[in-house]
Amino acid sequence: MIVDRRQFVAGAGALAAAPAFAAAPALPSKRPAPGQRRFTSPAVEREIARVSKRIGDPKLRWMFGNCYPNTLDTTVKMGTANGGPDAFVITGDINALWLRDSSAQVRPYLHLAREDAKLAELFRGLIARQARCILIDPYANAFMEDPTAPSNLEWSQKDRTEMKPGVAERKWEIDSLCYPMRLAYEYWQATRDKRPFDATWSEGARATIRTFREQQRKDNRGPYSFLRTSDRNTETMPLEGWGNPMRPVGLIASGFRPSDDATQYLFLIPSNWFAVTTLREMAVVANEARGDAALARDATALADEVEAALRQWGTMRLRDGSEVWAYEVDGFGNALFMDDANVPSLSALGYLGCVPMDDPLWRRTEAAAWSDANPYFFRGTAGEGIGGPHVGLGWIWPMSLIMRAMSTNDAATIRACLKTLRDTDANTGFMHEAFFQDDPSKFTRHWFAWTNGLFGQLIVTLARTNPAILSEAL
């Protein structure tokens, strides 16, 4: 088994065996002792207490108490930089900051930022850190805490690409630039605080637009290529590191997916949709927080262009004749249908706000993703859900179940997702990257803060939108 960014397994490189679950009257918290927690927010502690009272299932309540604060408890390092706050947020069991993961990890606390000055400082520090990271290299997906240090990730040491100091891994993924835009927009919407949106943020935003335009590849292949020596083709890009052939049609090319796996066709449709949505969010921040009409116009113009290309090139028909969004296309007319649990995914487009939740085309696409039409939809004795090529066949990602529960009001579907999430944690009290479809005691990544946070966000959301379901003993 190859050990890399996504394939950590609890224990010393072997599949973890679950301890027997003891149905004790009060389950012991898996959080670090208060003095060992990296970051503490009174508002988050109050939220844990408030929501926990609304959870009827004892084990689910225990898991929420472990998972919801996991990012703050274990992954945050606060400091100062350039006279302001600095927040370095690692992904969990890998000591590096992923632009995607760090944004998603703190997202569940955004609604509390107004009532906790220290928590708001964390958001400002992360927005600033991400802007500086983008300015180091907008093509990188992961960064070191020390911006002058070389990568300490074993698997990226010999990559044939333009590695720069401060970069931990340099896999070009559209969503790596989308997530900071989403974080900035949602922080602005939650607080109306202009402080993070300084000249550095603006420069990073312009670098984002420039990079997206370069990867439309209208005139040339652009400056990015990537090769890695590996026994898995998903770890490197074909054709000398430039990717499979594509035809410029206005879409943005992505070398890698949100799973950090290489794309088959360079136009990754879920990530292009996320780019359209977050570029428009960038325009709102540029106008309202900075009064920068030029930046807003540039972001909106690019979003309009990519959306038009998506509507022309982004759909396909399945064997039964139904029209769906493709997962990837190449601009020549070739298209791939599948879905990968990592967000942005086809099945998460509603959750991300890229399409309306009741959009018929997306609902057909989501239904197909949760069916045998998707080669990475798995069903076993432990549950059913979506995985992806990164971990392998038969491995279900809890992230897919969380996205499904966040994308429906159907009570039966929500209950089924909650039960599977509850029963496939291997009695650890935490979410994992993936569990095996027939044996949840086999799982990858014992410490994966992104999914822990998403699970916490799901429970907080259900406390507001479906409290009756949450109050049940499943």
Side-chain angles (χ1 to χ4, degrees):
M1 181 178 290
I2 293 173
V3 177
D4 70 2
R5 145 106 171 95
R6 294 283 183 178
Q7 195 115 341
F8 278 13
V9 183
L15 288 172
F21 178 69
L27 297 166
S29 171
K30 292 295 189 77
R31 297 180 66 182
Q36 297 175 340
R37 296 172 189 171
R38 289 195 171 195
F39 188 99
T40 302
S41 161
V44 170
E45 297 302 319
R46 289 192 297 270
E47 187 75 339
I48 294 170
R50 182 188 72 84
V51 174
S52 293
K53 293 177 182 177
R54 290 161 169 76
I55 304 173
D57 189 278
K59 187 182 177 187
L60 205 66
R61 186 187 315 122
W62 174 64
M63 292 171 65
F64 171 72
N66 296 328
C67 291
Y68 186 60
N70 185 244
T71 285
L72 301 184
D73 285 351
T74 66
T75 71
V76 173
K77 183 175 181 180
M78 291 297 299
T80 59
N82 303 326
D86 174 43
F88 189 77
V89 181
I90 65 173
T91 185
D93 51 18
I94 307 173
N95 190 28
L97 178 147
W98 262 256
L99 292 174
R100 167 186 56 252
D101 293 40
S102 62
S103 301
Q105 284 167 236
V106 300
R107 169 64 183 81
Y109 317 124
L110 259 170
H111 66 293
L112 305 172
R114 270 189 178 273
E115 60 186 85
D116 188 332
K118 186 179 176 185
L119 189 61
E121 189 174 79
L122 165 60
F123 283 105
R124 294 200 305 275
L126 183 56
I127 291 169
R129 165 69 74 151
Q130 290 179 341
R132 295 195 303 274
C133 287
I134 291 168
L135 292 175
I136 289 172
D137 185 358
Y139 284 102
N141 57 326
F143 294 85
M144 303 294 294
E145 181 179 357
D146 180 355
T148 67
S151 174
N152 64 0
L153 302 185
E154 179 183 354
W155 56 86
S156 66
Q157 298 297 309
K158 297 180 180 179
D159 290 346
R160 289 168 56 189
T161 189
E162 189 183 351
M163 290 291 286
K164 299 176 181 179
V167 170
E169 186 172 61
R170 194 173 190 253
K171 287 183 171 180
W172 160 238
E173 302 163 3
I174 291 173
D175 69 281
S176 290
L177 295 182
C178 295
Y179 272 100
M181 290 190 285
R182 168 59 56 86
L183 179 64
Y185 170 77
E186 291 193 329
Y187 178 78
W188 169 245
Q189 293 295 102
T191 67
R192 314 308 285 184
D193 177 8
K194 294 183 178 181
R195 284 174 290 180
F197 307 112
D198 57 10
T200 301
W201 179 85
S202 178
E203 191 178 351
R206 286 184 161 83
T208 293
I209 294 174
R210 181 176 66 250
T211 304
F212 282 167
R213 289 200 178 279
E214 287 173 351
Q215 288 305 309
Q216 288 180 298
R217 300 194 183 187
K218 292 180 179 179
D219 302 314
N220 53 59
R221 295 184 297 187
Y224 176 82
S225 64
F226 182 97
L227 287 170
R228 172 177 290 174
T229 300
S230 174
D231 62 359
R232 292 190 295 169
N233 64 353
T234 54
E235 285 298 302
T236 191
M237 292 179 65
L239 295 178
E240 299 182 335
W242 298 97
N244 284 321
M246 47 72 71
R247 180 166 156 261
V249 293
L251 294 170
I252 304 165
S254 189
F256 291 86
R257 299 166 179 166
S259 59
D260 300 336
D261 291 338
T263 52
Q264 178 174 324
Y265 298 136
L266 285 168
F267 297 138
L268 179 57
I269 298 305
S271 291
N272 270 266
W273 264 120
F274 199 26
V276 167
T277 306
T278 54
L279 282 166
R280 290 184 174 136
E281 292 171 351
M282 176 199 285
V284 171
V285 177
N287 266 326
E288 296 180 0
R290 284 191 57 80
D292 190 338
L295 175 58
R297 283 195 301 271
D298 287 348
T300 301
L302 180 55
D304 290 346
E305 180 183 353
V306 175
E307 181 175 0
L310 278 165
R311 297 196 180 281
Q312 183 174 0
W313 296 95
T315 60
M316 62 181 292
R317 291 196 179 274
L318 300 177
R319 288 181 61 85
D320 64 4
S322 60
E323 184 183 29
V324 294
W325 289 109
Y327 188 70
E328 293 170 0
V329 301
D330 64 359
F332 289 105
N334 298 303
L336 168 67
F337 186 79
M338 57 166 279
D339 204 19
D340 186 300
N342 285 264
V343 180
S345 59
L346 289 176
S347 50
L349 289 178
Y351 161 80
L352 291 171
C354 299
V355 297
M357 283 285 192
D358 59 354
D359 178 74
L361 175 58
W362 176 64
R363 280 300 180 187
R364 282 197 303 275
T365 305
E366 188 213 20
W370 277 81
S371 78
D372 292 339
N374 175 13
Y376 296 102
F377 171 74
F378 307 122
R379 183 184 288 113
T381 57
E384 64 179 34
I386 298 170
H390 193 87
V391 177
L393 299 179
W395 291 84
I396 295 168
W397 291 54
M399 192 176 298
S400 70
L401 293 154
I402 296 168
M403 288 299 101
R404 192 174 205 203
M406 294 276 274
S407 301
T408 184
N409 283 319
D410 180 71
T413 300
I414 295 171
R415 286 191 194 97
C417 290
L418 287 176
K419 287 180 180 179
T420 304
L421 292 167
R422 181 196 63 184
D423 296 340
T424 56
D425 71 319
N427 299 322
T428 64
F430 291 101
M431 294 291 104
H432 302 115
E433 176 190 55
F435 63 88
F436 189 59
Q437 64 180 24
D438 297 319
D439 185 357
S441 73
K442 299 177 180 180
F443 63 87
T444 60
R445 299 192 71 180
H446 68 284
W447 179 19
F448 189 29
W450 181 10
T451 310
N452 285 330
L454 282 175
F455 174 74
Q457 183 183 346
L458 168 63
I459 300 300
V460 170
T461 301
L462 291 176
R464 184 184 72 252
T465 61
N466 289 278
I469 296 175
L470 199 60
S471 68
E472 299 172 3
L474 298 173

